Every structure is written in C-alpha cells, then in structure tokens.
Amino acid sequence: MTTTFLRLHTQPDVPLEAEAISPVAIAGLSELGIEHLPVLHGNIKAKIGDFFKVTGKGVPDILLEGDLGKIKMIGAGMSAGSITIEGNVGMHVGIGMSGGEILVKGNASDWVGPEMSGGRIVVKGNAGHMIGSAFRGQAIGITGGEIFIHGDAKNEIGNSMRRGLIAIGGDAGDFTAVNMRAGTVIVMGKMGVRAGAGMIRGTVVCFEDAPMLPSFEFSCKYQPLFLRLYLIRLQENGFENKITDQHLNGKYRRYSGDGIELNRGEILLFSR
Amino acid sequence: MPEVIQSKPKEKKNIKIVKDATCTFCGCVCDDMELTVDLDEHRITKAKNACVLGRAWFYEHVLEDRPVVLIDGKEATLEEGMDTAAQILVDAKFPITYGLSDCTCEAQRVAVDIMDTINGNVDTTTSVCHGPSGMAFQGVGESTATLGEIRNRADLVIYWGGNPAESHPRHFTRYAVTPKGMYIPNGKKDRTVVLVDVRKTSSTPVADIFVQVKPGKDFEVLWALRALVKGKRISKDIEEQTGVSREMLDDLVYRMKNCQYGVLFLGMGLTMTRGRHFNSGAVYSLAADLNEFTHFVAKPVRGHGNVTGADNVVSWQTGYPFGVNFNRGYPRFNPGEFTTSDVLARGETDAAMIIASDPASNFSRRAIEHLAKIPVITMDTKETHTTKISKVRFAVATYGINTGGTVYRMDDVPISLRPAFDSPFPTDQEVLEGIRQRVKRLLTGSKARTAF
C-alpha cells in the first residue's frame, strides 16, 4: 500500500493534540504501532487508535478522513512525505514543518504553518487568523516554505515572517504581513486595513485597492518582473482562475514602507 | 389637646471606624478611605474620601440571606459543595478557570495552583479587557512607572481611549491631573492634559487639549505620531484619514518631545477596538520612541479592583499573564487559543470554574450556550446570570469589605486590605483551598497528572 490511511471513528470531546500524525512519527511502524502512538486529549493521554482506524503501514504519505476541526498540530515537524486531509482541520497544522506537503481539502483553523521553515501547505477552503506567523512573544515567524490558501484568511497573515511565500486566493483580514522581516504575501482578493504595519523588508501584493498607513509612501507605478514569475508559479499551482493575463502583464502601484522602520518593504497594488 | 410626642433618646449604636481602608471597586484601589461601620446592621454608613463609584460600592453592600452552597439548585453544606466541585474538576478533560479579577491575590494563587495540579486552563477577565496590552507588553516592552511617580513628576499627561471621569473618578484628583507633586508644585497649572477620544465625554472638560479621532483610526494616528517623532514623512491625507490635522499632530509631537516627563494612559477604547494589541503596542512603542528625547511612560488604566493582581499572580506562577494552558503539564500561552471567550465559543471545554465574574451576561451567544451545557462551578458575592446556570454555586464574602488580603493597584503596587466587618460567608480563598485539598487527594499517587 502506498499510503497510510487514518479514518476518524470517534470525534474528540475536547481538543486533541496529535503531533504524532506526521510522517516523521509513523515512519516504519505497523498499523498497531501507529494506533499506539500517543496523543493528548485535553489533559488525558490517549492513543491514535482511540480516535482513528489505521490502515496501511507507516509509509510517509498519509491520508486522513473525517472532520478534524478539533484536532491540532497535524503534520508537526514533518520534513518529507505528504498528508492529505479530506475535510476540515484544527489549529497549528504543519507546525514547525521543514519539508513535504500538506493538502487540506476543507477549511483550516488559526495558525496554519506557524514557524515553518520549508515545505508546502495547501488549503482549498478558508483559513483562520495568524497564517504562517510567529507565536506570541517570538520575534520571527516562518523562515521558508509556501502556504497557499484558496479561500479567505483572517488577521495577521505572515506576522513577523522572515522568508517564504504566502498566497491567499480570497480576501485577507487586517494587519497582513505585520512586522514582516522579509518574504512575500500575495492577496488575490481584498485586503483589510493596516497591511505591512512595522514591516522592515519584504513584499505584499494585492489585486484590489487597499488602505495605506500614513507611514507608507507612494513610489511609482511599474511592472515588476519578479512578480510575473511568482504569479506564473501560482497559476501552475491551482490559482489559474484567480490570476489573469491582466495581472501578469499589468502595472502595479508601489508603496514603500514602513517609514517608521527601515522603509525597505513594499506593498504592490494592482492598477487596472 | 393633641398628644405630645416625645422623641426617644437615640440608642447608642455599635459603630466602628476603619481608617485607611481600601476601596476595591476599580483599578485605582484608593487606600485612604475612612469607613464608618454600623456593626448592628452590618453595613457601612459613611465612606469618607470615596468617589461616587466607591460610595455605591460601600453603601450598597449588605449581607444577603442566601444559602452558602447550592448544588443543582438545592442547598448543601460547604463540604459537599467542595467535594462536588473537586470531582467535577478532576473528571474534566479540559477544565477552565475564568474571572479572578475581583478576589484577593491569596485566592488567585490557589486557583492557579488547582489548574496546575489538574492540567487545566487559566484565564482571567484581562483577556476581555487589557489582555491586548499584556500581549503588546510581551511584544514591544513597556516603559513604566508607578502612579506616585507620575503624580510627582509628570508634566504632560495624555489619556487615550478612556473616560476616567466616569470609570475611575479619582484618577484625575489623586494621581495624574490636579494633585500637587514634588516637581509639580502647582498641580494642574504645571501640567498639560491631553485627551484623545472618538467623542466628547465627561472627561473632556479636564483636558487642555482634546483630540478627536475618527472611530477606528487610533492606530493610524499613533503610527503617524511615531513617524513624526522619528522625523519621518507621513502621508498628506492624514486629516482626511483620521480626522486629526497635521498641525495638531505637529503640536502634540512638539509637546511630547519637549516635556520633562510624559505619560500615556491607555484605555479600553484602544484595546477593545479594531487593532487591539497593535493599538496598545503602538502606544508602548510611541512611549519607547520618545525616551530618545525625554522621559516618557505608558500605563494601561485597568478596570476591576484586582485585575492587575490577577495578571501578577498568573505571571509569577506560570510566566504568562492570562490565557495559560496546563494540558501538557507545563504552561503555554496563546491568546485566541486558550482565552476563555474563544474556548467557550468553539465548545472546547467540558467544565468551568468561574470566580467573581459573570461571563454568561457578556460573552458571545455561542459561548454562553456552551457554558450552559457543561458543569459550572461559581464563586460570587451576588446572584448573576452565571451563578444561575451553575451546577455548584458558592456564595462568598466580598473582598475589601468582609475579607482582608492583598490587591494590586493598576500600577502594579500591592496594597493590603482592611475589612470593615465580618461576613457569614466563606472567603474565595477558603473555598478554593478546600477544593485544592480535595483535588490533590483525588490525584495522589498513580493518579497524579504528569507532563505529556
């Protein structure tokens, strides 16, 4: 069998922290071995088998079925392999991952891919707050990797990100790329207020008009060459309906900021 | 002839005077009250020095005749109540405790210890009040001072997003506007008072300068001030965006840079509007930026009597101020994930211990619906919406009036309480200690919760 199949048979009553559902943890284990891996059900130690029926040996490609909205930390620290989730997923999916791919076919909750350094997370539905961001109290968020959200996402996307690419197919909330060190955030819908507050370097792109903070300054209207490359790559990765030729060939208004910080960041707004 | 009514000589009442008592109504925690207590009627008849809120707090306190413990609405003994509460907490997989801001630090530390023992979740009313300031404090740091220092030194006082005249009536007279201080010999004449708000309030007449910001534009104004303080350019449409003119901003920046000692007081108009912790963070950052030119501090104006104590106690026991989770046996801090309003709204908890707070009257509908489904333990001095839906309800004594202990003023200064008269009800601390003892007994030996 080429995948390890986990089907949810019992919905947890309270949040289930399941960092064991990760290619790193299940590698080489038998079905029984996987079912005995520890998870935390609220404050009670439990086993994967208490909630999931496992089929297939521990190969690094995992298929999960069921509504996993209360299950946190799936794919924690993964460095290779893949996880496909046929439904919704809870918080902290792909926490600290450095490689491999996670595909969520439903919606994701808050903190998608916190502090990841590599790999890719794709969410077909909507996602919550703090996509690809730093944990509270940490100075640096994601340091690499790609997060693609096809639906909408809420506040603080890419908070303090240092490197990497985040693409949002729908609308974004407030404070997109707040305190950004570097990296790229592309929003294909509308963007909330106060984007790029405190950003030092990095790029925020939005296909719609967005309000600018007073510390951002209009620089010019131009056709950024690098952006075409990014957008073509996104077109090849499922965003073909969102990115048109106009976006590829059109001009963008560039605002530089944040003036309070280094002023090396930029916000590019698509200009029709 | 009409009957002559002779007035009887007044009976000498059993009166007690409590000097230097402390009012625990708001975060000012004024400790200069002089209470006249009628020990026969068990009530306070006079509260010298108290403000309008303090007088209501003291005068309206009466000992109600109600059972100490109710379990499922039926009267029970204190021991039965504590047994049931301990069992509920031990049986729960995701127990939470919430409230804590209107009880003493001694009670708060026991509540945190219980959650530490059972690997539960600790949150206080800070999470729906100045929690964002706590997060901002962690993110950008804090230039801080005590109210005593502010009283003696501050010559520029800025209130942002608050209405202290109604929420903290003695803040102006006791700490920051009118009192004469060591380096402020003429009181208000030596101070410039600035009030920033979205509308005129009863605090506005106190201000020398009133800055009216468009609703929801505080962050933009703060950000523009930060840029101007650093000598950076700001966009020309600032007045159109925020309602504050460039001249006004330049004047404010000049005053802030050239004062001897400035203070920014931030209210809930910043922490509970769009932007939340970033609004507070912008205030803290502005104060930090200004320290390049002069001395500047920023302080949140806290609401409940001992909410600052709750932050301090939870911090010294867990390392974080609120929204702390012990599920793994060690503390984790994540507002949004472990804060009570969010945990309840997502339906994640299976038992709650609510101390001196009434979430059932002010949380979201989904949160209240979930609260009604789970076993709830409450400790409160009065009947509330939350006590009505609770499984185990303890009626407790009122801190500051019936019980002693320690509370923290909004500037993190601990103050001892001098109670006025005794109460037939147990204190929060006594109830919590009873529950702690039972919880520890239930979780001895192999049943002890260990780290994951």
Side-chain angles (χ1 to χ4, degrees), chain A residues 9 56 124 145 199:
Chain A
H9 60 70
K124 290 286 183 189
M199 72 191 290

Side-chain angles (χ1 to χ4, degrees), chain A residues 13-15 17 19 38-45 70 72-73 91-92 111 135-137 156 174-175 178 193-194 197-198 212-215 217 258-261, chain B residues 92-95 118-119 135 138 216 219-220 223 226-227 230 232-235 238 241 274-275 277-279 327-328 332 334-335 337 346-348 449-452:
Chain A
D13 316 326
V14 296
E17 295 187 6
E19 63 262 51
V39 289
L40 191 66
H41 186 210
N43 56 15
I44 306 291
K45 285 171 198 166
K70 269 191 178 165
K72 298 178 181 177
M73 303 168 89
M91 290 179 187
H92 306 298
W111 282 281
F135 278 124
R136 300 290 177 204
E156 294 184 55
D174 297 344
F175 289 101
V178 61
V193 294
R194 300 157 188 172
M212 284 291 116
L213 279 172
S215 51
E217 205 170 7
D258 188 332
I260 288 171
E261 296 295 341
Chain B
K93 295 192 194 83
F94 198 108
I118 61 174
N119 292 6
M135 290 158 69
Q138 191 193 30
F219 183 84
E220 281 74 7
W223 224 237
R226 280 195 70 198
K230 288 177 168 227
K232 303 286 171 68
R233 287 190 296 264
I234 60 166
S235 56
I238 188 76
Q241 263 196 59
R274 199 169 178 181
H277 49 289
F278 292 113
N279 294 343
N327 281 174
R328 289 186 170 241
R332 287 179 296 165
N334 206 0
E337 186 178 5
R346 287 192 298 264
E348 290 177 347
R449 302 264 156 90
T450 50
F452 182 67

